[in-house]
Amino acid sequence: MLIIPVKDGENIDRALKRFKRKFDRTGKMRELRRRQQFTKPSVAKRAQRIKASYIQHLRDAENI
């Protein structure tokens, strides 16, 4: 649970902005969106390999 202490005389919008920033850093929304649909392990591994090869290609192109 996130706790955001609101100081005396602090604008509620500023405290809300701090809360949103802290909430984004936890990554809960990303995790919930990812869990909405099941991805088979084989598909996840394939996507991970494709991403790794893409990143490797970018690094190789950078060194040329």
Side-chain angles (χ1 to χ4, degrees), residues 35-46:
R35 287 182 176 208
Q36 280 183 346
Q37 186 173 359
F38 178 74
T39 305
K40 290 178 13 179
S42 60
V43 174
K45 287 178 190 175
R46 183 170 188 270

Side-chain angles (χ1 to χ4, degrees), residues 2-60:
L2 294 176
I3 298 173
I4 306 295
V6 180
K7 300 167 186 147
D8 290 336
E10 183 181 15
N11 191 352
I12 192 71
D13 292 330
R14 191 175 194 106
L16 186 60
K17 189 173 185 177
R18 278 199 343 246
F19 172 78
K20 287 180 181 179
R21 194 176 320 127
K22 201 170 195 181
F23 184 74
D24 285 342
R25 287 183 186 147
T26 62
K28 285 292 181 188
M29 286 306 293
R30 262 185 267 121
E31 183 180 339
L32 287 173
R33 286 190 190 113
R34 184 182 60 84
R35 287 182 176 208
Q36 280 183 346
Q37 186 173 359
F38 178 74
T39 305
K40 290 178 13 179
S42 60
V43 174
K45 287 178 190 175
R46 183 170 188 270
Q48 190 176 18
R49 270 184 275 149
I50 290 171
K51 183 178 176 183
S53 68
Y54 174 73
I55 291 172
Q56 186 69 38
H57 174 71
L58 289 179
R59 288 188 180 152
D60 289 345

